[in-house]
Amino acid sequence: MAKKKTKTSTKTSSKKIPSFKVSNQQKIIFGSLLMLLSVACVIAFISYFSTWQEDQSLLKEFGNRQAEAKNWLNKFGASVSHLFIYKGFGIAAFIFPILLFQTGLYLFLNYKLKLLTNRWFWGIIVSTWLAIFFGFFSESAPLLGGVVGFEMNDFLRAYIGKIGVALLLFFIFITYAVTRLGVTPQKIKALFYTTQEEFKAAFKSNKVKAEGNEPETATSYTEISSTQEPKTVSNSSEPDTTSDVDIENSFEIKLAEEEEELAPPTLKTQAPSSNNENDELKIEVETVEEEKEEIDNLSEKLVKDFGEFDPKLALSNYKFPTLELLNDYGSGSITINQEELEENKNKIVDTLKNYKIEISQIKATIGPTVTLYEIVPAAGVRISKIKNLEDDIALSLAALGIRIIAPIPGKGTIGIEVPNKNSTIVSMRSVIASKKFQAAEMELPIAFGKTISNETFVVDLAKMPHLLMAGATGQGKSVGLNAILTSLLYKKHPAEVKFVLVDPKKVELTLFNKIERHFLAKLPDSEEAIITDNTKVINTLNSLCIEMDNRYEMLKNAMVRNIKEYNTKFKARKLNPNDGHQFLPYIVLVIDEFADLIMTAGKEVETPIARLAQLARAIGIHLIVATQRPSVNVITGIIKANFPARVAFRVTSKIDSRTILDSPGADQLIGRGDMLYTQGNDLTRLQCAFVDTPEVDKITDFIGGQRAYPDAHLLPEYVGEESGTGLDIDISERDALFREAAEVIVIAQQGSASLLQRKLKLGYNRAGRIIDQLEAAGIVGPFEGSKARQVLVPDMVALDQLLNNE
């Protein structure tokens, strides 16, 4: 019984669904109907353009027999035309009767309708494009583009504007021409050349007939062209086997040969008619070309005669520091402790198994101080679950500084960084001697240290463009600054880079005093190049702002965008030193303990630092700022936004880590040079290269013992605001708020700048200047230390009398 059931089921399933077949007679009848309907639509559309206004009121009265429309097809023509032209596509509506007529014709002649699908598709696209195109030039909904064109224009202009609509229409036109019509630049080029050659041939024959020359010249011309053509064809392959590309290439080569060979005969025919004129023209053209070449190649001649400008020429015998000046703390190779690796691996796997997390794969990458264990969790395990076990894994491993990277960027793994029991010192010598640093083609290369995979990490300060360093006391900030300065000393000539060093501690950077006349920059009136007094920092920063403005002016006059282009142009002797141009060295401003500077100098330091951070990178001034914790009151938002490159040494809390890096991680470092580096994207864990004080001493002694410049690089002179009162202040130079400030002081009977700041919402500098002006006018007394100034005017009447009598 079961077998019978299966047979019946197969029989029923094998039955086909009934299909509706159209006979040939039905196709002829339906095709003729569509063709006549298309003709009727065309008649109605043509009539609609002259009668649409009169028939507008009759569209709603379609059922009223007594109402008659002016359209040639009466109410039917008026309503259909209104639907397709006004409510639809405008003039582009004529495409639909054409498509309808083709469909009817295909049915009438019994062709396959599948051939029409492509035409209907492109017909609808063309009609839509035409509607938008005609609607682009109309302000209301007229007959040109219809409602479709008007509404789509209105919609597109709201998002991409009028220019955007024009560009979009042009792009669709190009797409249609390429895909539908097969138009290519090669075909346009070939068509242009063929029409050009035909025009030349016709012009030549007409010219020969008009001048009455012998027919031999014309025949010789045609013989030349005809003899050339078979050569090009014979060089190519047979016409049956050549592709379109080969034909186009051979065609272009043929034309080039024809133009080269046909040019001399035209010169020969013209030469005897006017020999003198041609000679004069040749002489004039040659002299003009020679003058242009002399003007253009003036810098090239200078380079040939004197060579390129060499900024190192003044210290041509300068010798770079040698590697022997740096200590070698071992071979630099990492010793692999197999027992430690196996033990840590088992502890990680067991800890994760305790929380029912399976691992499919684990791999270890050993670094100088940290080992990275990459694990691949089993399918279905959440990454957040492993991330939350950070403290549990640290407890099981009994290690400080466990850091989980979930996931590792660019890999499908999760990283667990575990400190090594016996860390390896990364010496500055091994980093400087590495091939990556020696072969680095950077403007300001800095070798920070080595990564977890024991690779030397080198970055370009010119591309950072500023660096913010932070970390708790004793975690390696000063060593990091020494590593940066040492990297630049080993790579750059004194003519290429200058340092401005700010050291509030007075002991960290004093060793670099020995290279003052080689690498340091200072103010003209300062005795020491390294700034240890916070009050002198203000003048130095403002002087750097003046230097920045001067350099931007030089770049503007040289018509270049950055210092690299400017120096390249100056070396090629394309800039005249008599016009104020000179070779511009990079300037690196290093500030140690920036928080202390802000506490003592405050706003007067913040403004020039913010200006330099925003604008100075293009003209070669770069900032390196080190601080213990860049809080909001130390590093403002404007300054922090211009320091995308950050270096974080170990800090005590996650809040400090987020303050520095905008992400946690710095609180889990192990100290002693262990650092995180970011340039606005991913965090990179590094072991900073160690440079001891005796090593820096040897390097500075080596450089300082060589021939140097007469003085340090001098910055522009800056004259700050003088302290004290200016009793000789002119009345015309008084502040615009002078009288209002005087009224505030007299009413309150308290002469202080802070009062003016609160009442008039002024800055401290402007309020202090107004107080000096009030003292000069005799309204307030002299400065008395912490006390408020004495108000010498008792009331408003006396104030009016005093000011009116001036």
Side-chain angles (χ1 to χ4, degrees), residues 198-450:
E198 290 175 359
F199 177 76
K200 283 182 180 179
F203 179 75
K204 183 70 179 177
S205 60
N206 292 334
K207 187 176 179 182
V208 170
K209 290 178 181 178
E211 292 178 356
N213 291 338
E214 294 180 0
E216 293 179 359
T217 57
T219 54
S220 63
Y221 178 84
T222 54
E223 284 174 3
I224 292 172
S225 60
S226 61
T227 52
Q228 286 171 348
E229 288 178 1
K231 289 179 182 178
T232 55
V233 174
S234 62
N235 290 333
S236 61
S237 58
E238 295 181 1
D240 294 334
T241 57
T242 53
S243 62
D244 295 337
V245 180
D246 295 334
I247 292 169
E248 289 172 2
N249 292 334
S250 62
F251 180 72
E252 291 175 8
I253 294 167
K254 180 187 75 174
L255 287 174
E257 291 175 354
E258 283 180 0
E259 288 177 355
E260 289 176 359
E261 296 182 6
L262 288 178
T266 56
L267 289 175
K268 287 180 182 179
T269 54
Q270 292 175 357
S273 61
S274 56
N275 290 327
N276 296 330
E277 292 178 1
N278 286 336
D279 293 339
E280 290 176 1
L281 284 173
K282 285 182 181 178
I283 292 169
E284 290 176 1
V285 171
E286 286 175 1
T287 52
V288 170
E289 287 177 357
E290 285 178 1
E291 287 175 1
K292 284 183 180 179
E293 287 178 359
E294 285 179 2
I295 294 170
D296 293 339
N297 299 330
L298 181 61
S299 60
E300 295 181 4
K301 288 184 179 180
L302 289 172
V303 171
K304 286 181 181 179
D305 295 339
F306 304 101
E308 283 194 350
F309 174 78
D310 187 9
K312 306 175 185 178
L313 196 60
L315 295 181
S316 56
N317 296 326
Y318 173 79
K319 295 181 180 179
F320 287 89
T322 59
L323 287 174
E324 284 71 20
L325 301 173
L326 297 171
N327 295 338
D328 188 6
Y329 298 96
S331 61
S333 60
I334 299 172
T335 57
I336 301 174
N337 190 342
Q338 196 67 35
E339 294 180 0
E340 182 183 350
L341 286 175
E342 195 68 27
E343 183 183 354
N344 288 338
K345 184 203 76 171
N346 293 333
K347 287 180 179 179
I348 291 171
V349 173
D350 293 340
T351 305
L352 294 176
K353 277 185 179 180
N354 292 336
Y355 294 93
K356 298 179 181 179
I357 298 174
E358 297 293 332
I359 298 173
S360 60
Q361 186 182 349
I362 186 166
K363 184 178 71 172
T365 304
I366 305 171
T369 56
V370 176
T371 300
L372 174 65
Y373 294 89
E374 294 184 47
I375 63 173
V376 179
V381 177
R382 290 186 177 181
I383 296 176
S384 59
K385 195 173 181 181
I386 300 176
K387 183 71 174 174
N388 294 333
L389 297 176
E390 198 167 28
D391 296 333
D392 299 291
I393 296 172
L395 179 64
S396 65
L397 293 172
L400 176 68
I402 299 294
R403 180 169 168 262
I404 294 181
I405 311 168
I408 297 176
K411 297 182 180 180
T413 58
I414 296 173
I416 302 176
E417 294 175 348
V418 181
N420 300 332
K421 290 182 180 179
N422 298 318
S423 59
T424 305
I425 296 176
V426 177
S427 64
M428 196 70 201
R429 178 168 181 165
S430 64
V431 173
I432 295 293
S434 65
K435 185 179 179 181
K436 192 170 185 180
F437 180 77
Q438 293 294 332
E441 296 181 358
M442 300 178 181
E443 297 298 317
L444 297 173
I446 295 174
F448 272 117
K450 292 190 176 181

Side-chain angles (χ1 to χ4, degrees), residues 599-611:
M599 289 171 63
T600 54
K603 293 285 184 181
E604 293 174 302
V605 169
E606 182 183 339
T607 303
I609 285 285
R611 286 201 67 212

Side-chain angles (χ1 to χ4, degrees), residues 570 573 585 666:
F570 188 83
R573 301 187 183 274

Side-chain angles (χ1 to χ4, degrees), residues 464-752:
M464 287 186 187
H466 310 296
L467 178 64
L468 176 63
M469 300 178 66
T473 304
Q475 301 302 323
K477 290 195 307 298
S478 299
V479 176
L481 287 176
N482 286 334
I484 292 171
L485 295 174
T486 304
S487 301
L488 295 174
L489 291 177
Y490 266 88
K491 198 70 175 175
K492 306 305 289 185
H493 191 273
E496 297 174 321
V497 64
K498 301 295 179 183
F499 300 120
V500 178
L501 304 180
V502 179
D503 183 18
K505 289 183 181 177
K506 303 181 181 180
V507 293
E508 293 293 343
L509 302 175
T510 50
L511 290 173
F512 294 94
N513 259 327
K514 301 173 185 176
I515 59 172
E516 175 182 336
R517 293 188 298 152
H518 290 86
F519 282 98
L520 299 190
K522 66 176 184 178
L523 292 174
D525 57 344
S526 60
E527 297 178 359
E528 294 184 357
I530 297 177
I531 305 166
T532 56
D533 187 2
N534 288 342
T535 56
K536 295 181 180 179
V537 179
I538 302 168
N539 292 342
T540 305
L541 293 176
N542 285 294
S543 175
L544 283 173
C545 290
I546 297 172
E547 174 74 10
M548 177 183 71
D549 295 335
N550 293 340
R551 288 191 173 195
Y552 267 118
E553 189 68 25
M554 296 166 98
L555 261 65
K556 184 187 78 171
N557 296 333
M559 291 182 289
V560 293
R561 296 182 62 186
N562 53 51
I563 186 174
K564 187 177 180 181
E565 296 176 3
Y566 179 88
N567 286 337
T568 303
K569 206 169 183 179
F570 188 83
K571 287 179 181 178
R573 301 187 183 274
K574 294 181 179 179
L575 300 175
N576 192 348
N578 295 327
D579 296 336
H581 294 291
Q582 60 180 351
F583 181 81
L584 300 178
Y586 285 92
I587 297 177
V588 180
L589 171 62
V590 180
I591 301 177
D592 196 7
E593 297 298 338
F594 185 68
D596 181 67
L597 188 63
I598 290 291
M599 289 171 63
T600 54
K603 293 285 184 181
E604 293 174 302
V605 169
E606 182 183 339
T607 303
I609 285 285
R611 286 201 67 212
L612 291 171
Q614 291 179 29
L615 302 173
R617 57 182 176 271
I619 44 85
I621 299 177
H622 303 280
L623 279 63
I624 300 174
V625 175
T627 182
Q628 290 186 3
R629 181 172 181 264
S631 55
V632 177
N633 56 346
V634 176
I635 301 288
T636 60
I638 296 176
I639 296 177
K640 194 174 179 181
N642 289 279
F643 282 82
R646 318 265 178 88
V647 167
F649 294 90
R650 185 169 182 262
V651 294
T652 55
S653 65
K654 288 186 178 181
I655 298 174
D656 292 348
S657 177
R658 291 185 184 277
T659 307
I660 301 164
L661 301 172
D662 297 327
S663 63
D667 56 312
Q668 296 162 334
L669 301 175
I670 60 176
R672 298 186 63 187
D674 190 17
M675 57 179 264
L676 289 173
Y677 171 81
T678 179
Q679 200 167 351
N681 40 25
D682 301 327
L683 293 176
T684 306
R685 192 166 185 174
L686 307 170
Q687 177 61 39
C688 183
F690 179 67
V691 190
D692 204 1
T693 304
E695 297 176 72
V696 179
D697 197 11
K698 290 179 187 177
I699 295 169
T700 52
D701 280 337
F702 179 83
I703 297 173
Q706 301 184 50
R707 180 173 173 267
Y709 294 107
D711 198 1
H713 183 78
L714 297 179
L715 298 173
E717 186 177 0
Y718 173 75
V719 180
E721 295 181 359
E722 297 181 358
S723 58
T725 60
L727 297 178
D728 56 345
I729 296 175
D730 191 6
I731 297 176
S732 61
E733 296 179 357
R734 285 178 178 174
D735 196 278
L737 297 176
F738 174 80
R739 186 178 184 89
E740 191 175 348
E743 293 175 357
V744 171
I745 294 293
V746 171
I747 293 172
Q749 287 295 306
Q750 180 184 354
S752 66

